[in-house]
Amino acid sequence: YTGYDWRGTITLGGKTIQQVFAVTADGDSMNGRWYYRGADELGGYMSATRMRSGASQVMAVEPSSLRVGAKTRLVIVGFNLRGKLNLGDGVKVDKVVSSGPNEQVVIAQAEEKAADGPRDVSVGGAIGKAALVVYHRLDSLRVEPGYGIARVGSNGGPIAPVDAQFEAVGYLNGPDGKPGTKDDIRVGVMRAKWTVKPYNREAAERHDTRYAGRIEQNGRFIPAAAGPDPKRAYSTNNTGDLKLVATVDTNGKRLSAAAHLIVTVQRWD
């Protein structure tokens, strides 16, 4: 499609998935997003690399972070992975669970003296730049995205609700030692406790948290059914102005961050 785009439709877990990727001019890699048909707010980002004969590459490590003192199961993904695995300074492999040309699974642990920061991960000559981040404790937390929109929907009606997905992402301070600046180091998505609060005084007076929907503990907000709602004196619809708060405990240090969520009416296209 125009020579440099990819449009695909696949079935995954019985659901239809749309793919929208941009392809580099040399055709060796593409990056973009996949999402559920009919629910484009639910999906993820994806990178792909062409498997050239004789070439090898580490593409990703999952999870992408390793807390000092915790034995962690790491999955190294790539192609033509052959040779010795190196997870970077201060990180050792306790156990090899499985080893194959496209995926290697190990139990790894970072030494107490290991420095915080990113590590290159290599398997033989294949290298993944800054593929793994080692940390003792997080310096800051962000909710991503910082702003979102959800839409109420009909129960069994023609207009389905639109969910909103959020993630709690941990960061290390960069060389400047300050949080929230450009040199911060992204550690990765953290397991968090999620709560919903009114965004402002007006939202509290309208009891928006009671009517607009609920948050799941994976960061997914499920909006309420569309109105009219006879229980709500303020409005016939279940809209709301909300603050989503994520809290993470990192080695005894509790961090919180928030995002702004608008729950609004159905989109009539």
Side-chain angles (χ1 to χ4, degrees), residues 124-255:
I127 300 176
K129 292 289 187 180
L132 181 67
V133 177
V134 174
Y135 71 102
H136 286 74
R137 64 170 60 183
L138 302 175
D139 290 321
S140 63
L141 188 72
R142 303 179 195 174
V143 174
E144 297 179 358
Y147 173 80
I149 294 177
R151 296 179 183 274
V152 296
S154 302
N155 286 329
I159 307 297
V162 176
D163 300 340
Q165 180 68 55
F166 296 85
E167 293 178 326
V169 181
Y171 281 84
L172 297 175
N173 296 339
D176 66 1
K178 300 177 181 178
T181 57
K182 291 183 178 180
D183 67 352
D184 286 2
I185 300 170
R186 191 180 195 273
V187 175
V189 177
M190 300 290 154
R191 185 183 298 274
K193 179 181 179 182
W194 292 90
T195 55
V196 180
K197 296 182 179 181
Y199 186 73
N200 50 31
R201 186 180 67 184
E202 290 78 9
E205 293 173 349
R206 294 191 303 258
H207 303 290
D208 285 359
T209 58
R210 183 185 305 172
Y211 295 102
R214 60 184 175 86
I215 186 77
E216 295 183 335
Q217 289 306 302
N218 58 6
R220 181 179 177 183
F221 184 85
I222 310 296
D229 188 343
K231 297 179 181 179
R232 194 173 195 188
Y234 159 75
S235 171
T236 59
N237 219 324
N238 287 323
T239 58
D241 195 358
L242 305 175
K243 179 190 294 185
L244 303 186
V245 180
T247 302
V248 170
D249 191 330
T250 167
N251 259 0
K253 179 181 179 181
R254 180 165 292 186
L255 297 173

Side-chain angles (χ1 to χ4, degrees), residues 8-84:
T9 302
I10 65 173
T11 300
L12 183 64
K15 295 182 180 294
T16 301
I17 303 293
Q18 303 292 144
Q19 300 173 327
V20 181
F21 303 145
V23 184
T24 56
D26 60 11
D28 280 347
S29 62
M30 58 186 184
N31 297 276
R33 192 169 182 271
W34 65 267
Y35 51 87
Y36 290 109
R37 174 183 285 177
D40 58 9
E41 73 277 10
L42 299 177
Y45 292 97
M46 186 172 180
S47 297
T49 300
R50 184 190 297 272
M51 294 175 61
R52 295 273 186 200
S53 177
S56 61
Q57 184 174 336
V58 173
M59 297 186 65
V61 178
E62 176 62 34
S64 60
S65 62
L66 179 62
R67 182 171 63 82
V68 171
K71 290 187 177 182
T72 304
R73 183 180 185 270
L74 298 179
V75 180
I76 298 93
V77 179
F79 56 88
N80 294 330
L81 302 178
R82 294 182 178 88
K84 184 179 179 180

Side-chain angles (χ1 to χ4, degrees), residues 80-103:
N80 294 330
L81 302 178
R82 294 182 178 88
K84 184 179 179 180
L85 171 64
N86 189 332
L87 298 174
D89 292 342
V91 182
K92 64 178 182 179
V93 174
D94 284 348
K95 179 183 179 182
V96 176
V97 179
S98 63
S99 180
N102 298 326
E103 180 183 280

